[in-house]
């Protein structure tokens, strides 16, 4: 087993998978802390690298295209601090980082893991239920329905119809874009038969994002939905035949739901979730149990 423990997080490799645990340091991003621990199977990896700097270095994982719904939904637009597949390494642990790289690379060679894209998700995506408030609204997802609710900052023409509930099987795509410079970001859902090119500010199936602290958390909602949509490379016949990927099946397990309750409690105690967000998310988990 190879393991590196840093303030930024801990990576542990057992020969079959890499377990990525975010650190508790105050500089660890809100997105990574909310996402929690990730287990990346060896077959999902395309490579690993380590870059040295004078004061610190960085471990980077490269996943096979199509393996992770989070990367699929965000399209490579996650900022470096929010990327769960990177780890900041202190200079006195460079040797350990290089050992981890060698161990993972050796395993990839021995198992003859190809670097080509995959046609199904190899990671399950974030746990549900999820509820995030940012920009001009709140997006909640329970595994089957997306709920969009608006706040006082929402454009009148968009909020006039009130909250919206979108059924997963009616969705064709989900996109998350961060705010960049003077351009606002968004979380957008495309509903079959109701495609639109309206700006997110006026699109009732989009949440507009303005570049504030909680914006990246909307990427988790996007990833959770993406994990349950047909894989982008799936044939039309397979897409019609499969309502949700098999990778999400463990989330219906009783133990997984109990773990999610504990995670929600930790996030609430640390101040990541407000009282209202915690109550809504907890109730949704309890209903599924």
């Amino acid at each position: 087993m190879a393991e590196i423990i840093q303030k930024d997080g801990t990576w542990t490799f057992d020969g079959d998978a890499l377990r990525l645990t975010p650190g508790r340091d105050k500089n660890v991003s809100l997105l990574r802390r909310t996402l929690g621990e990730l287990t990346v199977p060896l077959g999902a990896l395309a490579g690993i690298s380590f870059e040295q700097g004078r004061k610190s270095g960085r471990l980077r994982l490269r996943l096979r295209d199509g393996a992770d719904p989070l990367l699929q939904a965000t399209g490579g637009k996650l900022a470096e601090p929010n990327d769960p597949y990177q780890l900041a390494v202190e200079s006195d642990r460079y040797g350990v980082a290089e050992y981890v790289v060698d161990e993972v690379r050796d395993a990839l060679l021995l198992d003859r893991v190809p670097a080509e894209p995959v046609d199904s998700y190899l990671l399950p995506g974030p746990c549900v239920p999820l509820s995030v408030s940012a920009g001009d609204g709140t997006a909640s997802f329970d595994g089957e329905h997306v709920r969009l609710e608006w706040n006082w900052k929402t454009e009148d023409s968009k909020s006039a119809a009130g909250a919206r509930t979108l059924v997963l099987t009616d969705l064709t795509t989900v996109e998350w874009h961060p705010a960049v410079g003077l351009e606002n970001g968004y979380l957008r859902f495309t509903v079959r038969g109701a495609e639109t090119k309206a700006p997110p500010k006026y699109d009732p199936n989009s949440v507009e994002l303005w570049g504030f602290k909680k914006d990246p958390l909307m990427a988790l909602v996007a990833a959770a939905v993406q994990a349950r949509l047909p894989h982008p490379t799936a044939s039309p016949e397979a897409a019609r035949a499969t309502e949700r990927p098999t990778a999400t099946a463990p989330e219906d397990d009783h133990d997984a739901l109990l773990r999610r309750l504990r995670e929600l409690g930790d996030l609430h105690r640390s101040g990541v979730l407000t009282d209202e967000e915690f109550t809504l998310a907890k109730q949704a988990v309890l209903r599924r149990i």
Side-chain angles (χ1 to χ4, degrees):
M1 185 179 77
E3 183 176 63
I4 181 167
I5 302 173
Q6 295 289 275
K7 293 179 180 178
D8 195 38
T10 298
W11 285 15
T12 306
F13 180 59
D14 63 5
D16 296 316
L18 259 170
R19 190 169 72 251
L20 315 179
T21 306
R24 296 180 178 274
D25 188 76
K26 63 179 181 180
N27 293 322
V28 176
S29 75
L30 182 60
L31 182 146
R32 288 178 57 208
R33 285 187 280 129
T34 305
L35 181 60
E37 185 177 281
L38 289 175
T39 299
V40 184
L42 185 65
L45 294 179
I48 183 172
S49 63
F50 175 58
E51 302 167 2
Q52 292 190 17
R54 286 196 302 175
K55 294 184 179 180
S56 65
R58 188 164 292 272
L59 275 168
R60 299 179 190 269
L61 287 182
R62 184 164 57 89
L63 272 63
R64 298 171 66 186
D65 289 345
D68 179 29
L70 175 62
L71 297 182
Q72 186 71 40
T74 56
K77 298 179 180 66
L78 281 176
E80 191 171 85
N82 293 319
D83 188 341
Y85 303 114
Q86 299 189 29
L87 182 72
V89 179
E90 297 164 20
S91 58
D92 62 346
R93 290 293 181 270
Y94 282 1
V96 179
E98 290 170 347
Y99 174 69
V100 171
V101 169
D102 289 342
E103 289 292 296
V104 174
R105 285 178 176 171
D106 288 347
L108 288 171
L109 287 173
L110 287 172
D111 282 31
R112 297 182 179 179
V113 177
E116 287 79 10
V118 296
D119 57 8
S120 62
Y121 293 121
L122 302 181
L123 282 86
C127 293
V128 294
L130 278 171
S131 182
V132 177
S133 297
D136 67 352
T138 297
S140 304
F141 181 54
D142 63 5
E144 297 179 355
H145 303 89
V146 174
R147 176 83 171 170
L148 300 178
E149 300 173 271
W150 313 115
N151 57 39
W152 64 274
K153 296 169 283 189
T154 309
E155 176 69 26
D156 290 345
S157 61
K158 179 175 170 179
S159 63
R164 297 179 64 79
T165 298
L166 308 176
V167 181
L168 179 66
T169 51
D170 291 338
L171 302 180
T172 58
T173 60
V174 56
E175 301 173 87
W176 173 86
H177 284 256
V180 179
L182 298 177
E183 183 179 348
N184 291 337
Y186 60 84
L187 171 68
R188 186 195 296 274
F189 301 95
T190 303
V191 178
R192 186 178 292 105
E195 293 80 1
T196 179
K197 293 183 179 180
K201 182 176 182 178
Y202 303 104
D203 180 6
N205 296 325
S206 298
V207 177
E208 188 179 35
L209 304 174
W210 302 317
F212 296 136
K213 183 179 179 181
K214 285 194 173 183
D215 282 11
L217 296 185
M218 285 291 185
L220 300 183
V221 178
V225 173
Q226 184 74 59
R228 291 161 176 79
L229 293 176
H231 195 274
T233 63
S235 65
E237 293 78 11
R240 287 192 293 268
T242 307
E243 290 189 0
R244 65 182 66 176
T246 56
T248 62
E251 292 181 3
D252 292 326
D253 181 78
H254 185 267
D255 290 341
L257 294 173
L258 291 178
R259 286 197 300 273
R260 183 56 180 162
L261 278 177
R262 289 194 292 270
E263 291 172 358
L264 290 171
D266 291 340
L267 293 171
H268 181 233
R269 285 190 291 274
S270 64
V272 173
L273 293 178
T274 65
D275 291 344
E276 181 181 2
E277 290 170 339
F278 172 66
T279 300
L280 288 173
K282 182 177 71 173
Q283 289 174 346
V285 173
L286 292 174
R287 283 197 297 271
R288 295 184 65 188
I289 291 177

